[in-house]
Amino acid sequence: MPYLNKYILDKVEEGAFVKENFDELCWTLTAKKNYKPDRNGNSVVSHQDAFKLWCLFNFLSEDKYPLIMVPDEVEYLLKKICTAMNVELNSCELDDCLSQEPQGQGGLTVWQFLDMVNSGRLLRGIEQEAISMAVEEVYQEVIEDVLKQGYLWKKGQLRRNWSERWFMLKPSALSYYVSEERKEKKGSITLDKHCCVEVLPDRDGKRCMFCVKTASRTYEMSASDTRQRQEWTLAIQTAIRLQAEGKKSLHKDLKQKRREQREQREQRKAAKEEETQRLKQLQEEKERKLQELELLKEAQRQAEILLQEEEQRRRQQHEEMQRTLEIQLREAEQARASMQAEMVLKEEEAERQRKRIMELEEMQERLQEALQQEVKARHDEESVRYAQARLLAEEEEKLKQLMKLKEEQEEYIIKTQLEKQVLKQEMENKNKCLEEAQKQLEEVRVNRQRVDQDVMAAQRKLRQASTNVKHWNVQMNRLMHPIEPGDKRTNMSGGGFAGYPPLMCRRDSSLKLKQKVEDKGSDPMRESSKENVSNGGSSSPLPSSDADTMATEPSNQ
């Protein structure tokens, strides 16, 4: 049932499914095998009442399989049945029955519960009809969510006459019928959080009056006595409170509260047991501490005895040491007298030694001065050698840099030749593009002004690139001069670096060849740009991106 309630029945729309029919189906399937009433017909409850008790058990049982009902819920259900019959439940008899039933899982199964009710021990001396009426009343209250039902006088809306109706209050509505058989329903009052119930003074020959106010209408009713009016008003207020809290069933809420109370009671019990266990552990710890304290006291007494013995032994040693010190003191006084005589001789010897020391100190000062001069001379010699070695190392480093520059120059020449070939191929492609651009002259006329500006910018970049090439040629000429020692600068300045004249000659020739190629490459571009500017519509100028590429290539070289 918990599984069906959670995953199937709770998802069924209101009015599209009759849960009572489904309960009857489940009862029919399970009762034949498990329910065993008295074959002689001496059962306390009828088959229909057993079905209702089965439904009540399913409602009040714990939400786990197999379904069981804890003893508290069993007592709660039996008390409600006995209250409906105006009979007091025998708690001692109930405790005896619960103690006799096996409760391996912490409660009773539905079949154990029905067997206990049918045994007659709890409902002894009560007629079956009274039991049936009480079970029906509890069933309607718990399963059908009937908070209260009974006869009330109701005032009509149109004719304003008073009629006696059978009212049945549920959390969502207050329905009224012609009679208690509920065959002919006369109307229903929908309850929500905006409704309220008020007590009215007696008038029109009616007493114990109250009214239910809704958003659209006010219903006036009259009870048989003051007690009934108070019960009805409290029940209607409970239904309105459930609607305001968004709850559909009062007994589901009460069941949850009882479960929470049981859990809290179990938690308190567990806490109490834990506290008892902790107190027991503390008591054991206290006893153990007392035993340890006794052992410590015994150890302290033994330590005091040992301390006294040690004090006695130390006192004897002190006395022996004092006697020994007195003997040593007398010997020391004798030695002091002899030492004083020796001190006089030592002082004379010390005076002679002081004079000798002064002579040695003067000699040491002269030796230190000579040593400092020698050290200074060695430092000067080492600094000269270090400077000479540094100059030699710098000369070797410059030679290595010169060789590296030579290799980079050769690689750069090869790279320049390859770039020139690529540039030549690009110029051929651009000439083809130029021929195609001439065919699209009519479309380019609109952009003529912008292209002229791009050509002028390209010319400025070409001039800047030429200036950069010349500047870098000057810088490279400066870098290619070798670094020479200071004393040979005048001899080597006219003839280049000694030992490498062929390299400088080849470098100068390669630089001149490179300059000529660049000048030749830039002159056709200038001429073509001038022709494009002068002719205007006869030929299309180069796009700005191509001009920028050609302008930047010389500068990169």
Side-chain angles (χ1 to χ4, degrees), residues 11-12 59 70 101 109 155 199 273 280 298-299 324 382:
K11 298 180 181 180
V12 176
F59 181 83
V70 297
E101 293 289 342
T109 64
K155 189 175 183 179
V199 177
E273 292 178 355
K280 185 178 179 181
E298 182 66 25
T324 305
E382 288 179 358

Side-chain angles (χ1 to χ4, degrees), residues 111-224:
W111 314 116
Q112 292 174 346
F113 173 71
L114 292 176
D115 291 342
M116 183 177 65
V117 173
N118 277 326
S119 64
R121 296 176 59 183
L122 301 175
L123 303 175
R124 187 179 293 111
I126 301 175
E127 297 181 359
Q128 187 175 3
E129 184 178 355
I131 296 174
S132 180
M133 292 175 63
V135 170
E136 176 66 23
E137 182 179 348
V138 175
Y139 178 82
Q140 290 180 359
E141 179 183 353
V142 176
I143 303 301
E144 297 181 357
D145 291 326
V146 177
L147 300 181
K148 187 170 178 57
Q149 57 183 346
Y151 281 105
L152 290 174
W153 288 88
K154 175 183 169 298
K155 189 175 183 179
Q157 182 180 8
L158 299 177
R159 293 188 295 176
R160 312 300 292 174
N161 60 333
W162 290 88
S163 302
E164 189 177 21
R165 302 293 185 217
W166 176 266
F167 281 82
M168 184 172 65
L169 175 63
K170 290 188 176 183
S172 59
L174 177 61
S175 304
Y176 49 95
Y177 304 84
V178 175
S179 63
E180 59 182 315
E181 285 80 12
R182 295 183 294 175
K183 294 181 180 180
E184 183 179 355
K185 185 176 181 180
K186 299 298 291 182
S188 177
I189 303 172
T190 304
L191 300 177
D192 55 22
K193 61 181 180 180
H194 302 292
C195 298
C196 65
V197 58
E198 296 180 359
V199 177
L200 299 177
D202 298 341
R203 67 172 182 269
D204 299 336
K206 293 295 181 182
R207 50 189 297 272
C208 303
M209 293 179 60
F210 66 95
C211 67
V212 178
K213 293 183 178 181
T214 63
S216 59
R217 181 183 168 186
T218 300
Y219 298 86
E220 296 183 5
M221 285 161 279
S222 173
S224 59

Side-chain angles (χ1 to χ4, degrees), residues 85-326:
M85 296 185 296
N86 294 324
V87 177
E88 186 178 356
L89 178 65
N90 191 349
S91 300
C92 298
E93 194 70 29
L94 177 61
D95 294 338
D96 293 340
C97 293
L98 292 175
S99 62
Q100 293 176 4
E101 293 289 342
Q103 300 181 17
Q105 298 176 351
L108 296 177
T109 64
V110 62
W111 314 116
Q112 292 174 346
F113 173 71
L114 292 176
D115 291 342
M116 183 177 65
V117 173
N118 277 326
S119 64
R121 296 176 59 183
L122 301 175
L123 303 175
R124 187 179 293 111
I126 301 175
E127 297 181 359
Q128 187 175 3
E129 184 178 355
I131 296 174
S132 180
M133 292 175 63
V135 170
E136 176 66 23
E137 182 179 348
V138 175
Y139 178 82
Q140 290 180 359
E141 179 183 353
V142 176
I143 303 301
E144 297 181 357
D145 291 326
V146 177
L147 300 181
K148 187 170 178 57
Q149 57 183 346
Y151 281 105
L152 290 174
W153 288 88
K154 175 183 169 298
K155 189 175 183 179
Q157 182 180 8
L158 299 177
R159 293 188 295 176
R160 312 300 292 174
N161 60 333
W162 290 88
S163 302
E164 189 177 21
R165 302 293 185 217
W166 176 266
F167 281 82
M168 184 172 65
L169 175 63
K170 290 188 176 183
S172 59
L174 177 61
S175 304
Y176 49 95
Y177 304 84
V178 175
S179 63
E180 59 182 315
E181 285 80 12
R182 295 183 294 175
K183 294 181 180 180
E184 183 179 355
K185 185 176 181 180
K186 299 298 291 182
S188 177
I189 303 172
T190 304
L191 300 177
D192 55 22
K193 61 181 180 180
H194 302 292
C195 298
C196 65
V197 58
E198 296 180 359
V199 177
L200 299 177
D202 298 341
R203 67 172 182 269
D204 299 336
K206 293 295 181 182
R207 50 189 297 272
C208 303
M209 293 179 60
F210 66 95
C211 67
V212 178
K213 293 183 178 181
T214 63
S216 59
R217 181 183 168 186
T218 300
Y219 298 86
E220 296 183 5
M221 285 161 279
S222 173
S224 59
D225 52 21
T226 305
R227 180 171 172 273
Q228 286 293 322
R229 180 177 65 179
Q230 184 179 3
E231 291 179 359
W232 274 103
T233 54
L234 290 175
I236 295 172
Q237 288 174 356
T238 302
I240 295 172
R241 178 179 57 82
L242 291 174
Q243 290 296 315
E245 295 175 357
K247 299 175 181 178
K248 297 182 179 180
S249 175
L250 173 63
H251 285 277
K252 286 183 180 179
D253 187 26
L254 295 176
K255 174 187 173 183
Q256 184 64 27
K257 289 181 179 179
R258 290 196 303 273
R259 182 176 298 172
E260 292 174 357
Q261 290 176 358
R262 286 198 303 273
E263 291 176 356
Q264 292 175 0
R265 190 164 58 250
E266 291 175 358
Q267 290 176 359
R268 288 195 298 269
K269 183 178 179 181
K272 187 176 180 181
E273 292 178 355
E274 184 179 355
E275 183 70 18
T276 304
Q277 187 68 20
R278 190 173 64 83
L279 290 174
K280 185 178 179 181
Q281 292 177 358
L282 289 175
Q283 185 67 24
E284 294 176 354
E285 184 71 16
K286 183 178 179 181
E287 293 177 356
R288 186 175 60 81
K289 292 290 184 182
L290 290 173
Q291 293 177 0
E292 291 179 357
L293 185 61
E294 291 293 333
L295 294 175
L296 288 174
K297 288 180 179 179
E298 182 66 25
Q300 185 177 5
R301 287 194 295 271
Q302 294 179 0
E304 289 176 355
I305 295 171
L306 293 174
L307 185 61
Q308 292 175 359
E309 295 176 354
E310 182 67 22
E311 183 69 22
Q312 185 71 21
R313 185 176 57 80
R314 190 166 57 251
R315 190 179 295 109
Q316 292 176 1
Q317 290 179 355
H318 181 69
E319 292 175 356
E320 292 177 358
M321 188 180 295
Q322 187 174 4
R323 289 193 294 269
T324 305
L325 288 174
E326 290 176 355

Side-chain angles (χ1 to χ4, degrees), residues 455-478:
V455 170
M456 292 174 69
Q459 290 176 357
R460 286 196 299 271
K461 290 181 180 179
L462 285 171
R463 287 194 296 272
Q464 183 66 26
S466 178
T467 304
N468 291 337
V469 169
K470 291 178 182 179
H471 173 71
W472 285 111
N473 286 333
V474 172
Q475 294 295 330
M476 289 183 66
N477 287 332
R478 290 179 181 175

